[in-house]
Amino acid sequence: DLDEERERFAAAIQEATGAVTLQSLEGVEGAAARRYFELLMRFNRSPFKWQGRIRHPSPDPLNGLLSLTYTLVGHELAALCEAAGLDPYLGCLHQPDYGRASLAQDLLEPFRHPLADRFVMALVNRSQFQPEDFRQDPNGGCFLGAEALKRYFMEYEKWMLAPRFDDGKPWRRILQAEVERFAQA
């Protein structure tokens, strides 16, 4: 059914292109994101069950790992924006919000799947984390324990520094090039 799903996403792209308000664009994006995560989790071979994309707080290991990874990549992009002379808090699509680096979030969007989502799926499908590596806090959030967090950071660094299979560039260099390209534009 991949051809059918591809057609659905092509239709969503057309609908997004025709959106006349930010609110209608966000609605199209939200619906497409829900479908994307449903499809992504078809590849989940881990013991972790997918409840849908939930954050603030993330209630389960998959959401926790995704949120942690998005946060780290977002912070890297915010730092790169500042280094390039850009204000990471003034975004294009992500509207200003207290404490949110909106431009970094805008720049993160095209990297969610190839960098962050693939990284998380690789971790869980390779059984690098087990249910006992996570803890629930009193507010319902699910977080890595201290030792598991150290292992996560080691894996994250390897992922960010390793040459990619297609062009041989590491993710950090690709993020830097993207920010530089945006600054030039």
Side-chain angles (χ1 to χ4, degrees):
D1 60 346
L2 286 179
D3 287 335
E4 183 179 317
E5 294 299 338
R6 224 182 331 263
E7 288 176 20
R8 282 187 189 166
F9 282 110
I13 290 169
Q14 287 298 327
E15 191 176 350
T17 302
V20 293
T21 66
L22 184 57
Q23 186 178 13
S24 62
L25 177 61
E26 289 172 343
V28 172
E29 188 269 341
R34 276 187 297 283
R35 187 66 191 141
Y36 163 77
F37 280 112
E38 289 172 13
L39 294 170
L40 177 67
M41 289 305 156
R42 288 185 186 179
F43 297 95
N44 177 18
R45 305 291 179 251
S46 75
F48 305 119
K49 300 299 175 223
W50 180 246
Q51 304 176 30
R53 182 72 180 118
I54 306 168
R55 44 195 191 279
H56 310 302
S58 298
D60 60 83
L62 289 170
N63 276 297
L65 288 170
L66 287 169
S67 291
L68 176 58
T69 306
Y70 296 153
T71 297
L72 292 177
V73 177
H75 284 299
E76 290 201 37
L77 285 164
L80 289 167
C81 285
E82 287 184 10
L86 300 169
D87 185 342
Y89 294 91
L90 295 177
C92 299
L93 291 174
H94 288 85
Q95 299 301 297
D97 193 7
Y98 181 78
R100 178 175 68 190
S102 296
L103 178 57
Q105 294 301 306
D106 287 345
L107 294 170
L108 171 61
E109 290 299 333
F111 296 105
R112 285 183 187 271
H113 171 74
L115 192 165
D117 299 351
R118 287 185 63 213
F119 172 64
V120 169
M121 295 306 290
L123 290 176
V124 299
N125 285 340
R126 292 177 185 157
S127 300
Q128 290 179 273
F129 293 98
Q130 298 300 316
E132 57 270 15
D133 290 321
F134 295 85
R135 61 176 178 77
Q136 293 288 140
D137 78 356
N139 297 323
C142 183
F143 300 94
L144 285 168
E147 289 304 312
L149 188 59
K150 289 177 189 177
R151 288 194 332 267
Y152 170 89
F153 284 134
M154 286 180 20
E155 293 302 321
Y156 178 81
E157 284 301 304
K158 284 186 210 172
W159 186 264
M160 295 300 288
L161 295 173
R164 290 182 346 150
F165 62 90
D166 55 352
D167 62 7
K169 295 178 185 171
W171 279 115
R172 284 229 167 86
R173 178 63 192 115
I174 293 167
L175 293 177
Q176 182 181 11
E178 183 67 16
V179 170
E180 289 170 355
R181 199 165 73 229
F182 183 85
Q184 288 174 352

